[in-house]
């Protein structure tokens, strides 16, 4: 079993300390907001601090996979039950994105990056960690000069596949989150709308059942075709006919 040296332990402890200086104190995710990079890094420090095991030896992979990403996904689902794959990125991609964010943050906090990397990182630190698949441009009614009676606050010319589209009722919310800088934005998550959530969950369930039904039908159809081909081959072997003759005989009968 590999045991970390005292030097390695001190280095990891120092890196966490430096990271907390960069992103602020360790803390839970903001309850009414989709998290920014700073929020998620602070949450990672919080989860590491709360871990009952040796905090200094808490692996980054474990921290990202078992703590940060589940918290991130739960927050997005809290905003809308439809924020699941493929509306959002795959979990594998999100985990990879978060590991990269954590590692870059550590390097920046320790001063182990070049002069070009740190300013770019700092610009993204207080921006939304956007895990949506769709990044089509959104425009407000005022930008488009909509009719005053238009009930849509935001419009989008989305070219994504149907299953990847952002729910229409969330367009203004997502646009606000993408534009905000800092943890608090103009649009915040309220208490869960249980009737709407139940509708969304039921809709997702119906879609999943429909997908399973189509798959079962396709599988049954393929099995039937294979069965017919097998019967035809057996018939050809018995009669010595060619496939063309057998087909003509089948049609005539």
């Amino acid at each position: 079993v590999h045991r970390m040296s005292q030097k390695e332990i001190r280095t990891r402890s120092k890196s966490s300390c430096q990271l907390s200086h960069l992103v602020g104190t360790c803390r839970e995710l903001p309850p009414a907001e989709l998290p920014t990079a700073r929020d998620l890094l602070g949450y990672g420090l919080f989860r590491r601090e709360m871990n009952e095991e040796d905090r200094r030896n808490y692996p980054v992979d474990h921290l990202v996979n078992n703590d940060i990403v589940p918290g991130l996904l739960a927050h997005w689902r809290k905003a809308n039950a439809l924020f699941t794959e493929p509306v959002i990125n795959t979990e594998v991609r999100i985990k990879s994105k978060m590991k990269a964010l954590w590692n870059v943050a550590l390097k920046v906090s320790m001063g182990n990056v070049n002069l070009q990397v740190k300013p770019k990182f700092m610009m993204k630190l207080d921006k939304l960690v956007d895990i949506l698949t769709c990044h089509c441009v959104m425009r407000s009614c005022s930008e488009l000069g909509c009719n005053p009676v238009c009930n849509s606050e935001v419009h989008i010319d989305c070219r994504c596949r149907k299953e990847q589209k952002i729910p229409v009722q969330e367009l203004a919310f997502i646009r606000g989150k993408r534009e905000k800088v800092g943890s608090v934005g103009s649009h915040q998550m309220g208490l869960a709308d249980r009737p709407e959530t139940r509708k969304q969950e039921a809709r997702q369930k119906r879609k999943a059942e429909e997908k399973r039904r189509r798959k079962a039908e396709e599988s049954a159809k393929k099995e039937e075709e294979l069965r017919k081909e097998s019967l035809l081959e057996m018939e050809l072997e018995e009669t010595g006919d060619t496939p063309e003759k057998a087909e003509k005989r089948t049609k005539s009968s």
Side-chain angles (χ1 to χ4, degrees), residues 19 21 23 44 76:
L19 185 55
H21 289 162
V23 303
W76 278 80

Side-chain angles (χ1 to χ4, degrees), residues 10-239:
R10 285 196 301 271
T11 300
R12 178 163 290 184
S13 179
K14 180 182 177 183
S15 65
S16 293
C17 182
Q18 293 291 340
L19 185 55
S20 66
H21 289 162
L22 177 69
V23 303
T25 56
C26 57
R27 57 197 176 277
E28 285 273 22
L29 292 174
E33 293 284 348
L34 292 179
T36 63
R38 187 189 296 274
D39 293 330
L40 289 166
L41 293 169
Y43 180 62
L45 291 172
F46 171 77
R47 295 298 300 177
R48 175 178 279 178
E49 187 70 22
M50 295 297 292
N51 181 44
E52 294 180 356
E53 301 172 10
D54 187 349
R55 294 191 295 269
R56 293 173 295 187
N57 298 340
Y58 203 43
V60 172
D61 282 358
H62 189 92
L63 180 66
V64 169
N65 296 343
N66 295 2
D67 293 306
I68 298 177
V69 170
L72 172 63
L73 294 177
H75 253 56
W76 278 80
R77 283 193 295 269
K78 178 183 174 184
N80 192 303
L82 297 178
F83 285 148
T84 56
E85 294 181 38
V87 176
I88 64 172
N89 300 152
T90 64
E91 192 166 331
V92 171
R93 185 174 180 181
I94 294 170
K95 287 177 179 178
S96 176
K97 187 174 184 177
M98 286 310 308
K99 287 175 188 175
L101 173 65
W102 186 271
N103 289 329
V104 172
L106 281 178
K107 290 179 180 178
V108 170
S109 68
M110 299 290 287
N112 296 332
V113 293
N114 60 44
L115 296 176
Q116 287 76 31
V117 172
K118 185 173 181 178
K120 291 180 181 179
F121 174 81
M122 296 305 294
M123 286 178 64
K124 295 179 180 179
L125 188 57
D126 290 307
K127 298 287 286 182
L128 174 72
V129 174
D130 196 343
I131 60 174
L132 288 168
T133 303
C134 174
H135 288 276
C136 297
V137 177
M138 300 181 193
R139 291 186 174 87
S140 65
C141 287
S142 59
E143 290 175 305
L144 295 173
C146 287
N147 191 301
V149 298
C150 179
N151 294 322
S152 300
E153 188 178 344
V154 171
H155 300 266
I156 185 171
D157 182 17
C158 183
R159 307 299 174 88
C160 299
R161 299 202 310 269
K162 183 179 179 180
E163 60 271 20
Q164 295 176 330
K165 292 180 181 293
I166 301 170
V168 175
Q169 69 270 27
E170 301 297 347
L171 290 177
F173 174 74
I174 292 300
R175 187 173 191 253
K177 295 305 170 193
R178 285 176 171 173
E179 291 179 347
K180 76 165 184 172
V181 177
S183 294
V184 181
S186 57
H187 294 78
Q188 295 188 328
M189 294 186 289
L191 295 174
D193 185 344
R194 292 309 305 165
E196 179 61 25
T197 299
R198 282 195 292 269
K199 287 180 184 178
Q200 292 171 353
E201 290 172 346
R203 196 178 302 121
Q204 284 182 303
K205 186 177 180 180
R206 286 196 301 271
K207 286 182 179 179
E209 289 175 351
E210 178 65 19
K211 186 176 180 179
R212 284 194 295 270
R213 185 185 63 78
R214 286 199 303 267
K215 190 173 181 179
E217 288 177 352
E218 290 172 1
S219 179
K221 184 178 179 181
K222 189 174 290 185
E223 288 179 4
E224 179 64 17
E225 290 174 352
L226 291 173
R227 188 185 69 81
K228 288 181 179 179
E229 289 177 5
S230 179
L231 289 174
L232 180 59
E233 289 176 0
M234 291 173 61
E235 185 179 349
L236 291 175
E237 289 178 0
E238 292 175 358
T239 62

